[in-house]
Amino acid sequence: MCGIVGYIGPRDATPIVLDGLRRLEYRGYDSAGIACLHDGAFDIRRAEGKLSRLEDALREKPLAGSPGIGHTRWATHGRPSETNAHPHRAGNFVVVHNGIIENYLELKERLRGLGHHFKSETDTEIIAHLVEEHAKHGADFEAAVRQGLREVRGAYAVAILCATEPGKLIAAKQGSPLVVGQGQGEYFVASDIPAMLSHTREMIFLEDGELVVFTPEAMTVTTLAGAVVVKSPKTITWSPVMAEKGGYRHFMLKEIHEQPRAIADTLAGRLREEHSAVFLEEMHVDDAWLRDLERIYIVACGTSWHAGLVGKFLLEKHARIPVEVDIASEFRYRDPLVNARTLTVVISQSGETADTLAALREAHAKGGKVVAICNVVESSIARASDGVIYTHAGPEIGVASTKAFTTQLVALVLFTLHLGRVRGTLPVGRCQKLLAALVNLPRQVEKCLELDGEIEKLAHELMNARDFLYLGRGNQYPIALEGALKLKEISYIHAEGYPAGEMKHGPIALIDEELPVVILAPHNDTFEKVAANLEEVQARGGRVVAITDRATDELMARTEMVLTVPTTDDDLMPILTSIPIQLLAYHIAVLKGTDVDQPRNLAKSVTVE
């Protein structure tokens, strides 16, 4: 959530910072601003709303100079407004900040007592005043920043400029992501890689408690206490084009259609069909330790939590081990029963989700090991885990997760196969069957995408519904939850996902001729039970849409529409049934005219609670 971009070098900072902010729009924001140093003085432009409002302000009154910092804000302390937009200034210092300062009220009260006057409602402004206060007592720019940040409790990523030292830019992080881009005679700093990819692919990932001082010629990384840290850049292979729309109307639609490629990339090099095995290069958890496991927790938020629910079915079935699936914000506060024989699997697209990172640390503190399923290389969660299974989805810009979700499901299948073989609970023949099904999966997802035109027509029929109900049994129940979430996120229609067998315990009271009911009905062991639920919905006048792998005459007669996906192994079917629910949510949102890629009140990477 929120986006920071900073630049120091020979070029004018404004177009570089503005372009970087545009590439971070997917993180969600409600206001934006830029500050530059020019001839030893600050020039600041801020605006409430989208970046176009800031661009209007810059056209009316251009901004020049270097270094420069910019920010897109998602309101936490203080309402969305130009006054609360970043950057914030106190005396000779200007700051942009992501995160939450937990002790801001205490600090604000003390600073007011020292004569400081605050213009905004934000916690961020406190940082600028803290630095100014230490500078008043003789500290230079760097020392004032260090001393000020030592007083801060909470999460932050900051970039700070000083009018009296115009050749410097300082950045630091604690609990919020911050990445450095290394150019030729210039440096960039940002919340995420895409902001800098058009300028450099050489990235340095800062750890918590680290501070970096930039000049155009050099950078120095230290701990907050001042100890020098040696960092080596990593070359990022994503191209800038990968983060563009590629001819699609929205990033979300592009990312839905990228799923065959993303799944193929996540599988690439990992299947060992001839040995009935899976190769997970970066897991780094000893097989002997895995054999002695007593329990697995899967911990995640939002869409990733839904993936974890599917993972529970997979792991308990094939690895024969108890699995609990926790929402990260609950896990970290409930004193979970983690010990030295517990594995916690954390799932996060961004690798920066604050509650998931805190849950990871809780698991480590209790002596357990952690494996992350993550899309972003060298993200905070990836670095803090004992092992990683990277999903190779590429950058996901749309706030509503699509390709990240299906690649997380693929990663969970791979982990299940590995664990089942290590523990001796998955027979060779069953493993071979699943491996063969995985090989066919990208092609089958392509077949699912051919439903796009049919689903667009269905969206016209259903777009005016006030409520939706999604039903599924077994490993399709999490897909029902995901379908409801997708629709809520981008179309703002109320929707619920329910286990089909629980329909009579409440949701059946909602069913009438106005309620669309999406039923996930692949032909598996529970198909007859789901078909009975379908009849109960039809008997009450509900508008039934069935997603299945076999469009029987009976289904066709009892539904408004049947969407047919290819047949695959039942353990992989959740991946295929996910595609129609994504497309349905997308087309309804487009017809309703919502902001598909940046839905209201949502952020891509939730880096604060």
Side-chain angles (χ1 to χ4, degrees):
M1 119 184 358
C2 310
I4 285 174
V5 180
Y7 171 78
I8 184 166
R11 294 188 279 169
D12 189 25
T14 297
I16 295 169
V17 172
L18 192 62
D19 178 68
L21 293 178
R22 194 176 295 109
R23 295 173 192 274
L24 295 181
E25 282 189 297
Y26 67 89
R27 295 174 69 87
Y29 68 103
D30 50 53
S31 58
I34 294 179
C36 289
L37 265 169
H38 185 60
D39 292 334
F42 287 124
D43 209 353
I44 300 173
R45 302 285 181 276
R46 301 185 298 185
E48 182 183 354
K50 296 295 185 183
L51 277 173
S52 58
R53 298 279 299 275
L54 179 61
E55 289 171 326
D56 290 342
L58 288 166
R59 275 191 292 271
E60 185 176 323
K61 197 174 179 184
L63 194 64
S66 178
I69 54 177
H71 190 267
T72 48
R73 175 181 187 257
W74 194 81
T76 51
H77 290 84
R79 65 191 185 281
S81 68
E82 183 178 340
T83 301
N84 286 332
H86 301 210
H88 289 289
R89 179 178 182 177
N92 290 320
F93 302 95
V94 165
V95 63
V96 292
H97 159 243
N98 290 345
I100 290 180
I101 306 305
E102 294 172 2
N103 59 335
Y104 84 102
L105 287 175
E106 169 194 327
L107 293 171
K108 193 171 190 176
E109 193 64 29
R110 181 167 67 81
L111 288 164
R112 276 182 171 149
L114 294 169
H116 291 260
H117 299 282
F118 293 88
K119 298 177 182 177
S120 76
E121 304 167 287
T122 69
D123 55 342
T124 298
E125 193 181 352
I126 277 102
I127 298 173
H129 285 272
L130 276 174
V131 176
E132 184 195 23
E133 179 62 26
H134 287 289
K136 283 180 182 176
H137 296 280
D140 64 15
F141 181 21
E142 184 178 340
V145 171
R146 290 184 192 281
Q147 292 167 21
L149 291 179
R150 284 195 199 105
E151 297 187 60
V152 167
R153 200 168 63 242
Y156 61 78
V158 294
I160 307 174
L161 297 177
C162 175
T164 58
E165 297 190 46
K168 281 185 181 177
L169 165 63
I170 295 180
K173 81 172 289 280
Q174 178 66 47
S176 287
L178 206 59
V179 184
V180 172
Q182 183 173 296
Q184 296 295 319
E186 58 186 359
Y187 290 94
F188 311 83
V189 64
S191 302
D192 206 352
I193 293 167
M196 303 175 285
L197 269 181
S198 58
H199 304 287
T200 180
R201 294 190 189 180
E202 299 303 305
M203 305 291 175
I204 295 168
F205 298 88
L206 297 181
E207 301 286 349
D208 284 352
E210 290 182 346
L211 178 146
V212 56
V213 179
F214 299 98
T215 68
E217 298 79 26
M219 61 170 279
T220 304
V221 182
T222 63
T223 65
L224 205 56
V228 174
V229 180
V230 177
K231 310 283 282 191
S232 299
K234 294 183 180 289
T235 302
I236 302 301
T237 57
W238 295 352
S239 70
V241 174
M242 288 180 74
E244 300 299 334
K245 291 181 183 175
Y248 289 94
R249 183 173 178 182
H250 297 98
F251 282 114
M252 181 180 178
L253 184 61
K254 173 178 178 277
E255 288 154 9
I256 289 172
H257 282 269
E258 285 177 335
Q259 287 174 110
R261 188 275 309 158
I263 289 169
D265 286 354
T266 300
L267 293 172
R270 288 172 165 171
L271 305 185
R272 298 288 188 269
E273 289 186 85
E274 68 278 13
H275 300 297
S276 301
V278 169
F279 179 61
L280 299 175
E281 180 182 10
E282 291 158 310
M283 243 218 2
H284 301 317
V285 178
D286 184 67
D287 286 354
W289 186 85
L290 289 174
R291 276 191 285 272
D292 291 335
L293 268 183
E294 294 178 349
R295 183 198 303 252
I296 293 175
Y297 286 103
I298 300 177
V299 181
C301 301
T303 285
S304 297
W305 181 69
H306 297 157
L309 292 172
V310 177
K312 176 182 172 71
F313 283 95
L314 290 164
L315 287 161
E316 290 193 340
K317 179 179 179 180
H318 296 301
R320 308 307 298 162
I321 187 167
V323 178
E324 294 186 40
V325 185
D326 268 72
I327 294 172
S329 57
E330 296 296 324
F331 180 87
R332 63 180 291 197
Y333 290 118
R334 71 171 181 82
D335 195 17
L337 298 174
V338 174
N339 60 33
R341 291 189 177 182
T342 302
L343 176 67
T344 301
V345 178
V346 294
I347 309 175
S348 170
Q349 186 282 136
S350 67
E352 303 294 348
T353 310
D355 284 317
T356 307
L357 184 57
L360 182 161
R361 289 168 176 156
E362 178 74 9
H364 270 159
K366 290 179 176 290
K369 290 187 183 295
V370 178
V371 168
I373 294 175
C374 184
N375 187 40
V376 180
V377 176
E378 292 295 316
S379 58
S380 296
I381 285 173
R383 296 197 305 273
S385 298
D386 298 291
V388 186
I389 304 171
Y390 282 116
T391 58
H392 296 294
E396 188 178 66
I397 306 302
V399 165
S401 182
T402 53
K403 63 178 181 175
F405 176 65
T406 51
T407 54
Q408 286 168 355
L409 295 179
V410 169
L412 284 162
V413 174
L414 294 173
F415 176 63
T416 297
L417 295 180
H418 176 71
L419 189 61
R421 295 300 295 139
V422 165
R423 291 172 61 83
T425 55
L426 178 62
V428 170
R430 182 73 183 105
C431 185
Q432 288 173 336
K433 185 180 177 183
L434 277 166
L435 289 170
L438 282 168
V439 170
N440 290 326
L441 195 59
R443 178 181 54 81
Q444 291 179 314
V445 173
E446 288 177 353
K447 294 294 291 182
C448 293
L449 292 169
E450 292 175 8
L451 294 168
D452 189 42
E454 198 174 341
I455 293 171
E456 186 174 9
K457 291 177 185 175
L458 177 63
H460 281 273
E461 300 295 321
L462 303 181
M463 64 174 286
N464 292 317
R466 292 181 58 188
D467 305 277
F468 270 69
L469 183 62
Y470 289 75
L471 299 176
R473 281 182 182 256
N475 63 8
Q476 294 296 322
Y477 162 53
I479 307 308
L481 292 174
E482 177 64 10
L485 177 62
K486 282 289 153 288
L487 192 68
K488 281 184 282 196
E489 282 182 313
I490 62 173
S491 74
Y492 315 146
I493 295 173
H494 171 256
E496 283 192 60
Y498 243 80
E502 287 290 291
M503 186 178 67
K504 289 183 179 179
H505 295 268
I508 199 167
L510 301 173
I511 296 172
D512 60 20
E513 63 279 359
E514 299 296 324
L515 182 73
V517 181
V518 179
I519 296 183
L520 300 157
H523 277 70
N524 57 21
D525 292 344
T526 62
F527 176 76
E528 290 183 2
K529 301 288 187 184
V530 174
N533 298 135
L534 188 153
E535 289 186 22
E536 291 166 342
V537 173
Q538 188 197 33
R540 288 157 180 82
R543 306 175 66 181
V544 181
V545 175
I547 299 174
T548 185
D549 60 332
R550 198 184 311 159
T552 63
D553 291 341
E554 183 182 1
L555 271 179
M556 298 290 285
R558 295 180 180 278
T559 60
E560 186 164 323
M561 179 171 283
V562 175
L563 299 170
T564 307
V565 301
T567 297
T568 187
D569 190 289
D570 189 54
D571 289 328
L572 305 187
M573 188 59 76
I575 298 168
L576 298 187
T577 55
S578 296
I579 310 302
I581 64 167
Q582 295 171 355
L583 287 167
L584 181 61
Y586 171 78
H587 285 299
I588 289 175
V590 170
L591 290 170
K592 293 183 77 69
T594 65
D595 191 341
V596 173
D597 287 332
Q598 298 170 50
R600 68 189 182 201
N601 302 331
L602 296 179
K604 183 65 179 173
S605 176
V606 183
T607 55
V608 294
E609 295 180 75

